[in-house]
Amino acid sequence: MALWKKAPQVILNGVQTLSKSPLHIAFGACPIFVEKAKGAYFWDCDGNRYIDYPLALGPIVLGHAYPRVDRAVKKQMKNGSLFSLSSPKEIELAELLCAMIPSAQKVKFLKSGSEAMSAAVRIARAYTQREHVAVCGYHGWHDWTVCRTTRNVGVETTSQSLIHEFSYNDIDSLLNIIERFPDQIAAIILEPVGMYAPKKQFLKKVAKVAKEHGALLIFDEIITGFRLSPGGAQEYFSVTPDISAFGKAMGNGYPISALVGKKEILDEVEDKVFISSTYGGDLLAITAAIETLNIISDENVTGHLHKLGKELQRGLGALINETQISGSCEGLPHKTFLVFNDTDQVSGKLIQTLFRQESFARGVFLGYGHFISYSHTKKDIQFSLDMASEVFKLIDKSINNKTTASLLKGPIAEEVFKRY
């Protein structure tokens, strides 16, 4: 807390990533600064150890400080990290991605998911010579997408008129946009799966709509990539988009993202669009990505993630059902979410914040979007479920006694931003 008093004085918002702000987690009860991390665990600056499920918001797929990846990076470090010209390793990584991802025939390396998605939008507009975009879900902080949120001050007002939001698993909401803007939609953009799984062939229907109306289909696979399957959600669901963005798990924590797409599209716009990044050739991240993808290809990483992810999801869902708490554990095994609903007795946000608070007190960072790493074990899952059982019983009893709010050690967690 002493460090937190300093942070907002010298750092915008006090953090680099808004989702990591204690104000959005469980202020007054959650750890704020991490000192070190190893495998499936991290230690805060007060020396407390936690089982880590957010895993740096998704990038850590193998485990923190994974030895094989770090050894490869250290070896590259001796030969330099960034050159005045390109490195052969860029080709090696590009070929790996093209071999793994169905939509990848050409690639471009960048640093963040936001960059990769913005590059995808620019390419779609250049290729189709259209400006409007149909979009579903969260896709980063750049103007074209954040214009839809309450944190859009500083974004040019024209962006809002070109971006149109449809709802996941609601094909009619997409068709309504197509009807309102005939022959004007450059791209249809979505995370292939988020909190909820696709229903009634939703992804295939979206792909059909895109093809019929001359729009490019863009998958944001920043989260699903290399977790849901080695080739991402497009491989898992057998729906191949025109362009995709990958990142997060790609480098096991080293900062790298990739725009990938069909050759005919990228060739067409190659001399028309400007997408260039000095740090796209960062060899530490490229080396980490090569090693990470090789491990994912050689070992049953995704199988491990799915197995433990299912155990965690089923266990949490069953424990909630034993109480009067209105909630569920949603998502697919690669990423699950605890969802708590409002009732006459208590708000879902209150229960969510309290669950996180009590989980932290017991050494687990749970209740904030759960990923599994290759380093997590069945023992970690069982410990977490035993902990969750204890916390759910505590909350259930407090609902009966009407004392839930009094258990909070701080305010209810705030949302990062809201849609209009």
Side-chain angles (χ1 to χ4, degrees), residues 8 95 119-120 123 138 141 191 200 220 228 231-232 238 242-243 342 361 375 402:
E95 289 177 338
I123 288 170
Y138 173 79
W141 68 272
E191 285 185 280
K200 299 179 180 179
D220 179 343
L228 198 52
S238 299
D242 297 297
I243 301 173
D342 293 342
S375 295
K402 298 181 179 180

Side-chain angles (χ1 to χ4, degrees), residues 43 157 163 214 236 276 355 361 363 405:
W43 288 258
T157 55
I163 307 298
Y236 187 83
S276 183
F355 180 82

Side-chain angles (χ1 to χ4, degrees), residues 57-371:
L57 307 183
I60 308 301
V61 66
L62 300 176
H64 293 286
Y66 200 75
R68 182 171 156 185
V69 175
D70 286 356
R71 281 196 300 269
V73 171
K74 289 175 183 175
K75 183 177 178 181
Q76 176 60 49
M77 198 179 295
K78 294 177 180 178
N79 293 322
S81 61
L82 194 66
F83 301 154
S84 300
L85 297 171
S86 299
S87 163
K89 283 198 170 184
E90 296 172 37
I91 300 172
E92 183 180 354
L93 178 55
E95 289 177 338
L96 266 176
L97 293 172
C98 290
M100 293 178 74
I101 302 168
S103 65
Q105 295 173 340
K106 270 194 169 183
V107 311
K108 189 78 169 183
F109 301 133
L110 296 155
K111 275 294 159 201
S112 70
S114 293
E115 282 183 284
M117 285 304 302
S118 294
V121 171
R122 184 175 297 178
I123 288 170
R125 284 172 165 165
Y127 183 77
T128 62
Q129 298 184 45
R130 300 172 177 180
E131 289 192 312
H132 290 260
V133 172
V135 63
C136 172
Y138 173 79
H139 303 289
W141 68 272
H142 288 186
D143 288 3
W144 73 271
T145 181
V146 83
C147 66
R148 301 173 291 143
T149 75
T150 52
R151 282 183 175 262
N152 64 359
V153 178
V155 176
E156 72 277 4
T157 55
T158 54
S159 291
Q160 294 175 29
S161 65
L162 298 173
I163 307 298
H164 314 285
E165 190 158 5
F166 65 97
S167 300
Y168 194 78
N169 276 331
D170 183 354
I171 197 67
D172 288 336
S173 66
L174 174 59
L175 291 173
N176 288 338
I177 296 172
I178 300 292
E179 290 174 8
R180 284 167 51 210
F181 302 96
D183 302 321
Q184 297 179 67
I185 304 298
I188 298 173
I189 299 172
L190 73 163
E191 285 185 280
V193 59
M195 186 175 290
Y196 302 99
K199 299 177 180 178
K200 299 179 180 179
Q201 300 294 305
F202 177 67
L203 294 178
K204 285 183 168 62
K205 290 177 182 177
V206 172
K208 185 172 182 287
V209 169
K211 186 174 183 179
E212 288 176 347
H213 294 277
L216 295 190
L217 177 61
I218 299 175
F219 275 3
D220 179 343
E221 295 239 41
I222 303 300
I223 288 176
T224 52
F226 316 112
R227 283 187 172 278
L228 198 52
S229 74
Q234 56 195 264
E235 178 184 50
Y236 187 83
F237 292 111
S238 299
V239 179
T240 303
D242 297 297
I243 301 173
S244 310
F246 285 77
K248 289 197 184 279
M250 181 173 163
N252 195 51
Y254 288 88
I256 188 169
S257 65
L259 168 97
V260 310
K262 296 177 179 177
K263 188 175 187 298
E264 62 188 73
I265 295 171
L266 298 186
D267 282 351
E268 175 66 24
V269 302
E270 198 163 36
D271 60 352
K272 299 175 183 177
V273 300
F274 186 78
I275 300 169
S276 183
S277 170
T278 297
Y279 292 105
D282 164 27
L283 288 167
L284 302 187
I286 287 173
T287 298
I290 291 170
E291 202 67 24
T292 298
L293 297 186
N294 280 331
I295 293 169
I296 290 172
S297 297
D298 296 343
E299 303 180 28
N300 189 26
V301 174
T302 53
H304 181 84
L305 306 187
H306 279 244
K307 182 181 179 181
L308 295 191
K310 285 178 183 177
E311 288 185 19
L312 183 66
Q313 184 174 27
R314 289 170 182 167
L316 289 173
L319 290 171
I320 293 173
N321 290 336
E322 293 174 1
T323 71
Q324 62 183 314
I325 297 169
S326 177
S328 57
C329 190
E330 301 291 344
L332 291 177
H334 76 290
K335 185 181 183 183
T336 57
F337 307 81
L338 279 175
V339 178
F340 298 109
N341 307 310
D342 293 342
T343 66
D344 292 338
Q345 294 102 331
V346 66
S347 77
K349 280 288 185 184
L350 171 58
I351 293 178
Q352 181 186 66
T353 307
L354 181 57
F355 180 82
R356 292 174 187 167
Q357 169 187 298
E358 295 303 313
S359 297
F360 281 124
R362 292 160 176 79
V364 184
F365 192 172
L366 197 60
Y368 196 64
H370 320 130
F371 294 99

Side-chain angles (χ1 to χ4, degrees), residues 3-15:
L3 287 171
W4 177 247
K5 289 179 182 178
K6 293 182 180 180
Q9 305 302 316
V10 291
I11 297 172
L12 182 64
N13 302 122
V15 292

